[in-house]
Amino acid sequence: MNNNGFTSAAELAENIHNGKISSVAAVTECLNTIRESAHLNNFITVCESEAMIAAERIDADIKSGKCGTLTGVPVAVKDNICTKGIKTTCASKLFSDYVPDSDASVISRLKKAGAIIIGKANMDEFAFGSSNEYSAYGVVHNARDNTKVAGGSSGGSANAVAARQVPLAIGTDTGGSVRQPAAFCGVVGLKPTYGAIDRSGVVGLCPSMEQVGTFSNDCDDALLLFSVLSGRENACRLDGNVCGKTIGVAKEFLQAEMSESVKNAFTSATEKLKENGASIVEVSVPSFFAGLAAYHVLSSAEAVDSFRKIIKSYPHTELLGEEVKRRMLTGAIVLSGDNYENLYIKAAKVRTVIKAEYDNALMRCDALLCPVTATAALPIGGITDPHQSHMCDSFLAPVSLAGLPAVSVPFGSEHGLPLGVQIIGRRNAEYDILNIGKALTAS
């Protein structure tokens, strides 16, 4: 896509608006790149004819003076987000023929802004997984190293941006499913405040935590896409100025297991923010270590309840993958008999405590900083180890329990693979955390 003279979605939109490039040319180049790197397996469905028809219509509209924020910009969409007339499989054989008759709210907003849906991105089946190995349509291979996972469950969306197949993508994040693959693939992944973006039309299984999120190559594009999806048009541009900002680092974050490369990258990130005028303060979130366990209990229980509604219309459960069945079994155990009181209610109490602790910590600072994952992307097949899975999710799940916005930005590397730093903000502080992200990613 760089052959077309742009480096970001914002620049591409501007070039299309002023006639320097046509939407047809932008879509054509994206489709060519998708074909050339098809081995990555980022897409379940490529909307070639639909995208070209939309691009031709947009080019005609531009000539008559009609332009939207994302006019002509190709976007990849995670395959659990409903698209009218286009298959929405949730990466499951159970939904292999499901074609929605209406668009999800976020798709309607994208179309209104002039964006073009280029394809439906691969994912872990029904968003159960953190490696994109649990898809009925095959594993997604990391664009940086094809032997490594792209992360999950929104791995196809993140990897499509990393591979320059598209400038923007959307996914969903329940316990880290945007932020973790963003870190593994070396892109920016934003999980907004819970409820900031309408989830209508998302085939979700954990309604109390799941949130539509964004993937982009920089923080400016993340703000642009978030503004479109949330309807919160922000006239302010990111300037990366963090002078006078206070960044909190919880002592529990530093006590968590992580590789030396992750530790060094995190230390370097705090130093860079200090060099740019921010101050670093120590805070505490004592229940941090209980967050992942509480998340698994609550998310499995919610998923069982949601899935019961799905299988009333799609009863062929023999088509489901093993990971989905395992999660359903876990949820059923959580909700059965005495386990409900011993597990679910205790996990719900932990969630309440974590929410209060994060809120209290953020009263002392403008944002919190921590790693995204404890390692870089793991080898395909390696994340099936429960310990490795824990290292991928422990920094992410507590933020979802608290309902706070967080962004993963690329920072540092491990054996040539990208690492990420997570910036956690107060509710509805997406602009602030993205601005800190811009400061960290500025060269």
Side-chain angles (χ1 to χ4, degrees):
M1 286 194 289
N2 289 331
N3 293 336
N4 284 331
F6 67 88
T7 57
S8 70
E11 186 177 349
L12 174 58
E14 183 179 351
N15 287 343
I16 291 174
H17 290 178
N18 60 29
K20 289 184 179 179
I21 179 177
S22 69
S23 181
V24 166
V27 167
T28 298
E29 182 143 359
C30 283
L31 290 171
N32 287 340
T33 306
I34 290 170
R35 280 190 288 269
E36 290 165 3
S37 50
H39 63 282
L40 298 176
N41 200 32
N42 291 332
F43 288 90
I44 293 173
T45 302
V46 178
C47 309
E48 186 165 348
S49 59
E50 295 93 339
M52 290 303 296
I53 290 170
E56 290 168 359
R57 184 181 65 251
I58 284 170
D59 285 337
D61 287 345
I62 289 172
K63 291 177 182 177
S64 62
K66 298 178 184 177
C67 284
T69 306
L70 292 175
T71 291
V73 177
V75 179
V77 175
K78 187 176 181 179
D79 207 25
N80 65 337
I81 300 173
C82 289
T83 42
K84 182 178 180 180
I86 300 170
K87 283 200 301 184
T88 300
T89 72
C90 296
S92 177
K93 293 298 184 184
L94 189 68
F95 272 27
S96 61
D97 297 320
Y98 175 51
V99 180
D101 56 11
S102 61
D103 283 326
S105 176
V106 288
I107 302 302
S108 297
R109 287 188 179 273
L110 284 172
K111 289 181 177 179
K112 185 178 179 180
I116 295 174
I117 308 305
I118 203 82
K120 304 301 293 293
N122 205 346
M123 57 181 282
D124 286 299
E125 185 178 8
F126 284 107
F128 287 138
S130 53
S131 64
N132 227 140
E133 294 175 279
Y134 301 111
S135 167
Y137 299 89
V139 178
V140 171
H141 297 263
N142 195 306
R144 300 294 186 95
D145 180 342
N146 295 177
T147 68
K148 302 296 192 295
V149 299
S153 62
S154 307
S157 294
N159 211 39
V161 173
R164 302 286 174 164
Q165 293 176 331
V166 286
L168 297 172
I170 60 174
T172 58
D173 189 312
T174 303
S177 290
V178 164
R179 292 161 286 158
Q180 184 247 47
F184 281 0
C185 296
V187 298
V188 174
L190 172 67
K191 183 201 86 71
T193 305
Y194 177 75
I197 296 174
D198 187 353
R199 290 171 40 257
S200 301
V202 175
V203 184
L205 299 180
C206 301
S208 77
M209 286 177 270
E210 193 162 43
Q211 183 63 65
V212 174
T214 71
F215 295 99
S216 58
N217 280 301
D218 61 47
C219 291
D220 291 292
D221 278 356
L223 180 63
L224 178 69
L225 183 51
F226 170 71
S227 297
V228 167
L229 297 178
S230 65
R232 300 178 185 179
E233 295 293 336
N234 195 323
C236 298
R237 292 181 175 271
L238 301 175
D239 58 16
N241 182 6
V242 295
C243 189
K245 295 291 184 182
T246 302
I247 309 299
V249 175
K251 60 184 181 182
E252 290 80 11
F253 297 161
L254 301 177
Q255 294 166 0
E257 184 178 4
M258 66 186 82
S259 71
E260 281 302 311
S261 297
V262 170
K263 189 179 297 184
N264 292 338
F266 179 64
T267 300
S268 297
T270 59
E271 291 300 319
K272 184 168 185 177
L273 290 174
K274 284 197 287 187
E275 290 168 5
N276 281 275
S279 57
I280 308 296
V281 298
E282 183 182 275
V283 296
S284 180
V285 284
S287 299
F288 166 77
F289 293 103
L292 185 59
Y295 164 78
H296 280 305
V297 169
L298 295 172
S299 62
S300 296
E302 281 192 38
V304 166
D305 185 57
S306 298
F307 214 79
R308 284 171 181 160
K309 300 170 186 176
I310 290 175
I311 60 177
K312 286 181 180 179
S313 300
Y314 296 88
H316 298 290
T317 54
E318 72 277 2
L319 297 175
L320 293 173
E322 292 305 311
E323 180 64 10
V324 175
K325 292 177 181 177
R326 185 182 71 80
R327 299 279 184 116
M328 292 301 101
L329 178 60
T330 301
I333 292 171
V334 167
L335 294 175
S336 65
D338 293 339
N339 286 337
Y340 178 77
E341 185 171 346
N342 293 333
L343 294 175
Y344 185 85
I345 292 179
K346 286 182 180 179
K349 289 178 180 178
V350 169
R351 179 180 188 169
T352 300
V353 171
I354 284 177
K355 180 177 178 294
E357 289 177 356
Y358 272 80
D359 286 345
N360 289 337
L362 285 163
M363 291 177 67
R364 294 193 53 213
C365 56
D366 297 295
L368 299 171
L369 190 73
C370 69
V372 179
T373 62
T375 67
L378 297 166
I380 291 171
I383 209 166
T384 54
D385 179 348
H387 177 67
Q388 294 289 4
S389 179
H390 176 85
M391 292 185 73
C392 290
D393 299 334
S394 58
F395 291 104
L396 302 167
V399 184
S400 296
L401 293 174
L404 298 172
V407 63
S408 168
V409 298
F411 199 93
S413 64
E414 183 173 77
H415 307 304
L417 293 169
L419 297 172
V421 172
Q422 181 178 204
I423 307 155
I424 305 160
R426 299 166 184 158
R427 284 169 183 75
N428 301 313
E430 285 80 6
Y431 176 89
D432 295 329
I433 61 174
L434 287 169
N435 204 49
I436 295 168
K438 183 166 184 174
L440 278 173
T441 53
S443 56

